[in-house]
Amino acid sequence: MTYVSVQTQIYSPQGWDLSDIYKSFDEPKFEQDLTGLQQKVAEFQHHYRGQVSQLTPEEMARCLQQLEVLSEQYSYLDTFANLVFCANTRSSEAKQFFNDTKLALTRIYNQLLFFNLELQDLDTTQFDELQASSALQQYNHYLNRIAQFRPHRLPEEAERTRNRDMLTGRFAFVQLYSVHRGEQDYEPVATPDDKQVETPAQLEALLFHSDGDVRYEAYCSLHQEMERHNGLYGFILNAICQDHRIESQMRGYPSTFHKQLLAADVPESVFRLIMDGVSDRIDLFQRYYQLKGQAIGQKIRTCDLNTPWTADDPLLKLDYKTGVQTLLNALKPFDVFYANRASDFFSKRWVDTKVRPGKASGVFSFPTFAKHSYLSLCYTEDYHSLFTLAHQVGRGLQFSRTRDRQTYFNTQPPLLLREVASIFNKLLLFDYLLKEAADDPLRKQAVLTRMLEDQFNLLFYQSTISRLELALHERAAQGSFDHSFVNEQWLEFYRQLCGDAVEVLPEHQYDWAGMSHIFTQPFSSYQYAAASIVSLACYQQYQAVGKDFIPSYFDFLAAGSSMNPVEALRQTVGVDLEDPATVNGAFYYVEGLIDQLQAML
């Protein structure tokens, strides 16, 4: 396809067009595809069950190709059910459709369990021969991952039972959390222009408001719901942590922490290096907010973290049409083809940006193999939404590169690698806005503060969440906990981060209830910090060598899950995440931005 322009005619926030997968959840084709997949999986099982050890490398390659086709068809059904539910978590029809589909897909998944289990049963010599075969070269990392999980496998019937139990166990609690959050009604907050704001996305946008009373009221409205249901969310979180503990014990992991590290394909040494690096530089967080407090003439409270430095901050309101075009303009200097691929997300409605009750909270993406990603966020007519949009589009663009180069099993990179593209996209946007503000000191200051606060969220806030998770899962290993324990732990860790620079309001003890990842994907938060460190290293390379950096960056995007994260970064963009200098380099860069900002005051 030839791309010649980055103009796209988008005028207002829009919902998804899911017709690339299915037109609706009652479309006959969905049921036909589900039935067809069940039949194909049964045929696959009949043909290969008990035969895996007899396959030659060439036969194994053909078998894996068949399995990829089945997995691709499975992913369409699964993705569509998730998207229908996330679009409206209050819809009883969507919930029923989602639950029914998950039940059917779990049965299908259980029929395919035998394959990996039989692979793991091969003796070391035979498995090594498969890995060394040129016929299986493209599946090398996939086979490595199967081998890594070998010590933690269960007998097939136990694996089947575990998967079925998940529907009424951990998965059910995760869904309960999502449904309950989506059904909450928040205390409306009146803005100075006499508007009533009451959706979570709109209330979160008010935390960037220049009026301190408005910020505080929005902050209280959000946290009142977390406080009101504090006991329920504590109960759900404890149940999820206990389920992880039980699974870890069943599979022989030292802890949930180690189980999740293996799932993320990240060495413990990288986790420790990042967490220690962040802890050593919390002075940057505190220094920045002390400066900010001096600038606005009051001590920063937790509701003021995102307050503008001046009442006439030029980076407040931004309509959707202008925001989309600003993002595309920011990507164009990097690579026009890259920017044009980004425009497809808007012109083809692959992104849901509408603010509405019942929409699943948070921002997320669902990649659909051989097609594209579907993205979700709430655009609230401000620059914060623009940066979130840049973040999500970065994830979608990475998948499009991976999809072009890899087969299905190599298109599932861990969160760490997925987030690099997202954060790098935001850095390109910051770079564009800084150049646009070159002759406007007030605007330049506003851009710098937004960039810094984004890095503080990624590096410090996310790492603090990981500290909380360590405490929660260590406690779960000893016995149950309740909401009070979580409240106390979160306050303690957050106060350590803030020091004397930020007043931690009492309501902040409930903040954890809004952190969906600690419920859905434990020990993922540090990966945002790691991705920020990598993105800054890549960004500095781009600033140093210009467009010569782009081919290696595109190779990184295309790597997908064909290599482990550490090797993928070394071999493509030359970033060594196991080197303390890489971690320290990110903090030196942030420190330089603070110095630059302080010189402007």
Side-chain angles (χ1 to χ4, degrees):
M1 182 179 293
T2 301
Y3 293 84
V4 295
S5 170
V6 292
Q7 296 293 322
T8 189
Q9 297 299 314
I10 298 296
Y11 298 101
S12 60
Q14 55 195 353
W16 287 311
D17 176 2
L18 302 181
S19 60
D20 278 359
I21 316 177
Y22 299 100
K23 293 182 174 61
S24 66
F25 62 77
D26 55 0
E27 179 188 6
K29 189 176 186 302
F30 183 91
E31 192 63 35
Q32 291 166 5
D33 287 353
L34 179 59
T35 300
L37 180 61
Q38 290 167 335
Q39 293 171 348
K40 292 174 185 175
V41 167
E43 292 169 3
F44 181 90
Q45 184 187 46
H46 176 75
H47 187 73
Y48 287 108
R49 186 179 179 89
Q51 303 300 313
V52 173
S53 64
Q54 308 302 315
L55 298 177
T56 66
E58 291 73 21
E59 290 171 333
M60 180 67 73
R62 289 194 292 273
C63 180
L64 287 171
Q65 289 164 5
Q66 291 179 48
L67 195 56
E68 285 187 306
V69 171
L70 296 176
S71 299
E72 179 183 337
Q73 294 169 354
Y74 179 105
S75 73
Y76 293 157
L77 298 162
D78 187 49
T79 294
F80 186 75
N82 275 288
L83 293 172
V84 167
F85 172 68
C86 289
N88 186 1
T89 62
R90 296 185 179 187
S91 166
S92 58
E93 293 87 355
K95 283 186 276 192
Q96 186 66 49
F97 172 70
F98 177 74
N99 290 333
D100 289 346
T101 303
K102 283 292 184 184
L103 180 60
L105 291 178
T106 298
R107 294 188 183 118
I108 290 172
Y109 183 81
N110 274 344
Q111 286 183 276
L112 295 173
L113 274 176
F114 77 91
F115 182 79
N116 281 0
L117 295 177
E118 289 188 28
L119 264 180
Q120 290 174 335
D121 276 342
L122 297 179
D123 63 56
T124 302
T125 301
Q126 188 176 4
F127 197 92
D128 290 346
E129 288 174 355
L130 287 176
Q131 288 182 291
S133 170
S134 59
L136 292 165
Q137 184 175 0
Q138 69 176 335
Y139 297 111
N140 188 262
H141 186 56
Y142 176 78
L143 293 172
N144 282 339
R145 293 290 283 158
I146 288 176
Q148 286 177 313
F149 286 101
R150 179 183 288 172
H152 308 291
R153 59 154 291 181
L154 302 173
E156 184 175 348
E157 188 51 42
E159 292 282 6
R160 287 171 176 263
T161 301
R162 179 69 191 160
N163 288 332
R164 288 195 299 267
D165 289 349
M166 286 279 283
L167 295 174
T168 53
R170 188 166 80 217
F171 178 78
F173 279 106
V174 169
Q175 189 180 5
L176 172 62
Y177 170 78
S178 299
V179 169
H180 194 269
R181 290 280 291 163
E183 290 180 343
Q184 297 314 300
D185 294 315
Y186 294 81
E187 186 70 26
V189 173
T191 62
D193 54 358
D194 294 325
K195 291 182 179 179
Q196 293 287 316
V197 170
E198 55 188 349
T199 68
Q202 292 169 322
L203 290 167
E204 288 169 3
L206 290 184
L207 298 177
F208 293 83
H209 203 281
S210 58
D211 188 314
D213 291 337
V214 172
R215 289 194 304 275
Y216 181 68
E217 288 180 27
Y219 178 86
C220 288
S221 178
L222 288 164
H223 286 78
Q224 280 167 6
E225 286 305 306
M226 299 178 194
E227 179 182 8
R228 185 174 294 120
H229 305 292
N230 193 224
L232 173 62
Y233 293 142
F235 178 85
I236 293 172
L237 185 56
N238 174 65
I240 291 171
C241 290
Q242 295 299 335
D243 190 272
H244 278 290
R245 174 187 62 79
I246 291 169
E247 182 179 12
S248 298
Q249 291 175 344
M250 289 173 62
R251 296 187 181 279
Y253 290 99
S255 67
T256 298
F257 166 66
H258 290 90
K259 174 171 72 72
Q260 295 304 109
L261 279 181
L262 183 59
D265 205 4
V266 175
E268 183 175 353
S269 59
V270 169
F271 174 86
R272 300 296 179 189
L273 182 63
I274 291 166
M275 295 297 288
D276 291 345
V278 171
S279 296
D280 289 344
R281 293 314 312 265
I282 61 172
D283 63 292
L284 297 176
F285 183 94
Q286 295 172 7
R287 176 188 168 194
Y288 172 82
Y289 281 106
Q290 285 170 341
L291 285 174
K292 190 170 190 177
Q294 294 167 9
I296 68 172
Q298 67 176 61
K299 187 171 185 176
I300 298 295
R301 304 166 294 175
T302 42
C303 65
D304 302 321
L305 293 174
N306 297 311
T307 181
W309 280 56
T310 60
D312 53 349
D313 189 324
L315 295 189
L316 287 178
K317 303 305 293 179
L318 188 71
D319 66 85
Y320 185 67
K321 177 183 177 182
T322 306
V324 169
Q325 198 56 57
T326 299
L327 173 57
L328 297 179
N329 290 342
L331 300 182
K332 183 178 178 180
F334 181 69
D335 184 82
V336 68
F337 298 101
Y338 185 77
N340 272 287
R341 277 198 163 184
S343 73
D344 287 343
F345 284 90
F346 307 102
S347 62
K348 298 180 180 180
R349 291 178 55 196
W350 297 342
V351 54
D352 182 346
T353 51
K354 282 186 176 180
V355 178
R356 60 180 181 274
K359 181 176 178 179
S361 61
V363 296
F364 51 85
S365 67
F366 280 95
T368 309
F369 185 74
K371 296 184 184 294
H372 50 79
S373 293
Y374 283 99
L375 315 176
S376 180
L377 66 142
C378 290
Y379 195 92
T380 51
E381 305 290 324
D382 51 39
Y383 275 83
H384 177 66
S385 296
L386 172 60
F387 290 118
T388 304
L389 192 62
H391 184 105
Q392 288 302 95
V393 169
R395 183 174 282 191
L397 289 170
Q398 179 182 27
F399 178 73
S400 68
R401 280 274 168 184
T402 305
R403 177 204 63 196
D404 290 348
R405 189 82 64 85
Q406 305 291 345
T407 60
Y408 182 86
F409 285 153
N410 287 334
T411 58
Q412 318 294 323
L415 179 65
L416 192 162
L417 296 187
R418 298 198 305 269
E419 285 300 307
V420 170
S422 298
I423 298 167
F424 189 83
N425 242 32
K426 289 197 288 187
L427 294 173
L428 291 174
L429 176 59
F430 280 122
D431 190 37
Y432 174 79
L433 293 175
L434 274 176
K435 290 175 180 175
E436 290 286 300
D439 299 323
D440 186 341
L442 183 62
R443 192 173 187 84
K444 183 177 180 181
Q445 181 191 68
V447 174
L448 279 174
T449 58
R450 286 299 177 100
M451 185 173 185
L452 280 163
E453 288 172 13
D454 187 66
Q455 289 300 319
F456 291 140
N457 172 62
L458 293 166
L459 294 168
F460 296 103
Y461 183 73
Q462 297 297 334
S463 298
T464 304
I465 295 174
S466 289
R467 294 182 68 195
L468 172 67
E469 289 185 296
L470 283 170
L472 293 178
H473 287 277
E474 286 173 3
R475 176 63 176 266
Q478 302 165 11
S480 296
F481 59 81
D482 64 8
H483 57 285
S484 298
F485 176 76
V486 192
N487 296 343
E488 292 165 4
Q489 291 294 304
W490 178 243
L491 270 186
E492 178 182 346
F493 291 132
Y494 206 77
R495 283 171 174 157
Q496 290 172 8
L497 171 64
C498 293
D500 295 329
V502 176
E503 178 187 350
V504 180
L505 298 172
E507 294 86 351
H508 206 70
Q509 65 184 298
Y510 312 115
D511 201 51
W512 58 268
M515 304 169 187
S516 61
H517 281 162
I518 69 175
F519 294 85
T520 62
Q521 197 175 1
F523 294 108
S524 60
S525 293
Y526 76 91
Q527 295 183 65
Y528 293 95
S532 181
I533 290 166
V534 171
S535 298
L536 286 171
C538 290
Y539 182 61
Q540 290 175 80
Q541 282 191 50
Y542 173 58
Q543 287 183 313
V545 303
K547 289 188 176 292
D548 288 344
F549 169 72
I550 296 176
S552 62
Y553 181 70
F554 283 167
D555 285 343
F556 159 72
L557 296 185
S561 54
S562 62
M563 295 180 274
N564 73 59
V566 173
E567 282 306 308
L569 290 168
R570 283 195 187 116
Q571 292 186 28
T572 56
V573 290
V575 174
D576 187 353
L577 198 49
E578 293 183 305
D579 185 351
T582 302
V583 177
N584 293 334
F587 292 106
Y588 291 144
Y589 186 84
V590 170
E591 187 171 26
L593 293 180
I594 298 176
D595 291 341
Q596 187 177 347
L597 177 64
Q598 189 167 13
M600 298 174 65
L601 300 178

